Amino acid sequence: MADTLIKVDLSKPATSNENVHNRWHPDIPMACWVKPGDEFILETYDWTGGFIKNNDSANDVRDIDLSTVHYLSGPVGVKGAEPGDLLVVDLLDIGAKQDSLWGFNGFFSKKNGGGFLTDHFPQAQKSIWDIHGMFTKSRHVPGVEYAGLIHPGLIGCLPDQKMLDMWNEREVDFIATQPDRVPPLANPPFAATAHLGKLTGDAKTKVAAEAARTVPPREHGGNCDIKDLSRGSKIYFPVYVDGAGLSVGDLHFSQGDGEITFCGAIEMAGWVHMRVSLIKGGMAKYGIKNPIFKPSPITPTYNDYLIFEGISVDEQGKQHYLDVHVAYRQACLNAIEYLKKFGYSGAQAYSILGTAPVQGHISGVVDIPNACATLWLPTQIFDFDINPSAAGPIKHIDGSVQMPLSPDL
Ligand code: ZN
């Protein structure tokens, strides 16, 4: 049986757990050590450390201090790992904690985080999703049920000092180009809410001032939010420090491509059963700068889709040059408009696109001036027919159930 090397107690604050951290820095002490070939289990908080509750109010989504996230379990030291190696991580299984069989999806206020469609949904909203074995459904979003594609939103190894300095320099410079933007262009180091595992005292003060926030994906992987990096995947991570320092968190029961609602997945507390091994000198041998991975042999077999196209012309009719961000936004907005015809609110439709195993594709990036992106909506997750027909659309959702919304104060 694999040992549980890191445990989390959901009744206690994440900041009381010295095997958890919410920043990236090479001086964060290893929480535990393993050997190549070892199997082990890490428990994790949800990304907010338990701030978001299973209730019918979005006030917690509105009010959360986003400088506190993400709470990650680790770092796990791997004996013999050295800079330049590849750390091979098998995600043998992932699940929700038995005392917490639910997850949440949130739209963040434009003034506190924002999100992909924040101009269309500027206020905090939330949906709660109950977990029934491998399936999920929500009391706030009727008419859908689907199998989980369970994955860690966030997983990676500690950066070395040189990489950390590079991250900070480029992101701080970027923020300076538009310092007053809401939401901001990026998030600089912020010492006050840094939680650095076992670090205390003066050592903690120094590290907290320069430790990188966990928000973006970076060269080491980090907060990539890739739905297909799911249980059963094998990942190859670049190693930058002795021992590698593997950390994981932000578990998602399910998510659509793009994680478009910002807190766009079904966020949950849980556990990850994994195995590690090493490819010595693998970064140079394979020319690896960012992680690579193999997908799981087991994924939900939804194979019928309604596919929405979007092009790089924005909501105001302005032409953009091959901009896949604009094109994917249009594909998503087109899908939301379509689902509204069946009785969903825009928010419920948005929540489905964020949480269900929706595929997003960059379909064309050469035909100037328009990029074409597509959003693939699985039809089998609905308990009614969403295909276009001469008779339809039939209003299946009666509007009696809505998602909690909390206006800005
Ligand atoms: Zn997440």
Side-chain angles (χ1 to χ4, degrees):
M1 202 180 89
D3 290 332
T4 300
L5 299 184
I6 294 179
K7 292 194 165 139
V8 302
D9 180 346
L10 302 183
S11 69
K12 301 212 175 93
T15 47
S16 69
N17 191 320
E18 62 175 24
N19 295 323
V20 163
H21 61 102
N22 64 2
R23 298 289 191 270
W24 293 112
H25 194 287
D27 294 347
I28 298 172
M30 300 298 177
C32 51
W33 284 88
V34 298
K35 305 185 300 301
D38 281 357
E39 272 184 39
F40 54 94
I41 292 170
L42 307 181
E43 293 182 349
T44 76
Y45 288 92
D46 81 85
W47 71 297
T48 71
F51 190 84
I52 308 295
K53 304 296 185 202
N54 183 353
N55 60 24
D56 300 315
S57 163
N59 291 0
D60 45 15
V61 172
R62 178 189 65 197
D63 299 337
I64 186 173
D65 175 357
L66 286 173
S67 76
T68 60
V69 302
H70 304 67
Y71 289 104
L72 308 177
S73 294
V76 177
V78 181
K79 285 186 182 140
E82 296 172 293
D85 294 347
L86 288 178
L87 179 68
V88 187
V89 178
D90 286 288
L91 299 179
L92 300 176
D93 203 0
I94 306 174
K97 270 181 71 83
Q98 277 302 311
D99 55 345
S100 183
L101 294 176
W102 62 278
F104 60 92
N105 174 253
F107 312 168
F108 282 76
S109 160
K110 188 170 179 180
K111 294 179 183 156
N112 186 29
F116 187 60
L117 300 182
T118 195
D119 290 329
H120 299 269
F121 299 91
Q123 295 178 323
Q125 292 197 250
K126 182 169 90 177
S127 55
I128 299 294
W129 296 77
D130 291 316
I131 295 168
H132 304 273
M134 60 185 281
F135 294 96
T136 187
K137 59 183 176 180
S138 170
R139 63 178 179 270
H140 299 127
V141 184
V144 285
E145 181 175 24
Y146 42 87
L149 182 52
I150 307 180
H151 57 276
L154 207 163
I155 183 168
C157 296
L158 293 179
D160 61 11
Q161 188 71 41
K162 192 168 152 224
M163 177 156 280
L164 175 71
D165 292 345
M166 177 178 74
W167 292 350
N168 281 336
E169 193 180 322
R170 75 187 180 199
E171 290 176 26
V172 168
D173 287 355
F174 188 51
I175 292 165
T177 63
Q178 246 180 295
D180 301 322
R181 189 178 189 274
V182 179
L185 287 174
N187 298 283
F190 185 72
T193 49
H195 176 58
L196 302 165
K198 299 181 202 302
L199 264 193
T200 54
D202 288 348
K204 181 180 176 187
T205 305
K206 175 201 168 273
V207 169
E210 62 179 20
R213 302 282 291 280
T214 55
V215 178
R218 298 189 181 93
E219 287 84 345
H220 68 150
N223 195 21
C224 288
D225 291 313
I226 303 168
K227 78 179 198 313
D228 301 293
L229 200 152
S230 59
R231 57 179 167 171
S233 297
K234 182 191 282 286
I235 321 167
Y236 302 83
F237 286 107
V239 173
Y240 309 100
V241 301
D242 286 335
L246 176 71
S247 294
V248 64
D250 186 21
L251 301 186
H252 297 161
F253 189 79
S254 179
Q255 182 208 292
D257 279 340
E259 204 198 12
I260 60 170
T261 56
F262 182 92
C263 167
I266 297 173
E267 309 283 346
M268 67 177 195
W271 51 268
V272 184
H273 177 182
M274 52 178 115
R275 180 174 57 217
V276 293
S277 57
L278 292 170
I279 297 177
K280 298 300 293 178
M283 282 178 74
K285 277 182 194 163
Y286 287 102
I288 301 284
K289 188 175 89 172
N290 298 68
I292 59 175
F293 72 97
K294 304 272 298 171
S296 173
I298 294 175
T299 57
T301 55
Y302 298 115
N303 50 19
D304 184 60
Y305 293 88
L306 200 54
I307 300 174
F308 294 86
E309 300 183 8
I311 57 169
S312 51
V313 175
D314 69 21
E315 295 89 314
Q316 283 72 45
K318 185 173 174 233
Q319 180 72 58
H320 295 258
Y321 182 74
L322 298 180
D323 187 328
V324 294
H325 184 267
V326 173
Y328 193 51
R329 190 168 76 232
Q330 303 315 308
C332 293
L333 290 169
N334 289 342
I336 289 170
E337 248 352 88
Y338 184 90
L339 287 174
K340 280 161 70 176
K341 305 296 184 209
F342 294 84
Y344 284 115
S345 68
Q348 288 170 327
Y350 187 21
S351 188
I352 291 169
L353 301 190
T355 59
V358 161
Q359 294 188 32
H361 292 242
I362 298 170
S363 299
V365 285
V366 293
D367 300 311
I368 59 169
N370 282 335
C372 179
T374 47
L375 180 130
W376 299 41
L377 182 63
T379 58
Q380 292 141 307
I381 65 171
F382 295 89
D383 64 15
F384 58 99
D385 186 1
I386 65 155
N387 290 298
S389 72
I394 295 182
K395 230 177 185 179
H396 182 87
I397 306 296
D398 67 10
S400 59
V401 172
Q402 291 295 330
M403 276 172 57
L405 179 148
S406 293
D408 291 333
L409 293 172

